[in-house]
Amino acid sequence: MLGVVYWQSAESKPGIIPTKSDTAIKIAAFGGTVLGQVGFGILADVVGRRRMYGLELILIIFATLAQSLSAASPAMSVVGLIIFWRVLMGIGIGGD
């Protein structure tokens, strides 16, 4: 769907996300998951698992909503924004 919206006027393969952008979007959540496992694991030992679970859930919900509301801007491409929010979502999933 992103390809149809943002790459409709591409010279080669219109309507299809470029391979590098597609791969980066797919890998972002997995990278965040590793960070979340380590970070939330340490924090859960210090603060407590019950508190951390609430924070993880809020982070997952917030990042998911932010991804869905992302749009291209002059300052940053839509791919960069989606990658940022997917990393944050992955951190929350990793902590879960």
Side-chain angles (χ1 to χ4, degrees), residues 2 14 47 50 57 74-76 82 96:
L2 288 174
V47 178
R50 189 173 276 176
L57 188 60
M76 183 177 267
I82 290 176
D96 192 32

Side-chain angles (χ1 to χ4, degrees), residues 47-69:
V47 178
R49 300 215 179 268
R50 189 173 276 176
R51 285 187 183 167
M52 284 298 102
Y53 182 71
L55 183 62
E56 297 157 9
L57 188 60
I58 290 169
L59 183 60
I60 293 169
I61 292 169
F62 180 73
T64 303
L65 288 173
Q67 274 183 88
S68 67
L69 298 174

Side-chain angles (χ1 to χ4, degrees), residues 36-47:
Q37 288 171 355
V38 173
F40 276 112
I42 293 169
L43 283 173
D45 290 340
V46 173
V47 178

Side-chain angles (χ1 to χ4, degrees), residues 13-93:
K13 298 182 183 178
I16 297 174
I17 300 175
T19 306
K20 291 181 181 180
S21 298
D22 187 39
T23 304
I25 289 170
K26 290 176 182 174
I27 296 290
F30 294 120
T33 302
V34 172
L35 295 173
Q37 288 171 355
V38 173
F40 276 112
I42 293 169
L43 283 173
D45 290 340
V46 173
V47 178
R49 300 215 179 268
R50 189 173 276 176
R51 285 187 183 167
M52 284 298 102
Y53 182 71
L55 183 62
E56 297 157 9
L57 188 60
I58 290 169
L59 183 60
I60 293 169
I61 292 169
F62 180 73
T64 303
L65 288 173
Q67 274 183 88
S68 67
L69 298 174
S70 295
S73 70
M76 183 177 267
S77 71
V78 71
V79 174
L81 283 172
I82 290 176
I83 289 170
F84 173 76
W85 290 118
R86 283 187 64 89
V87 168
L88 282 181
M89 184 185 71
I91 290 172
I93 291 171

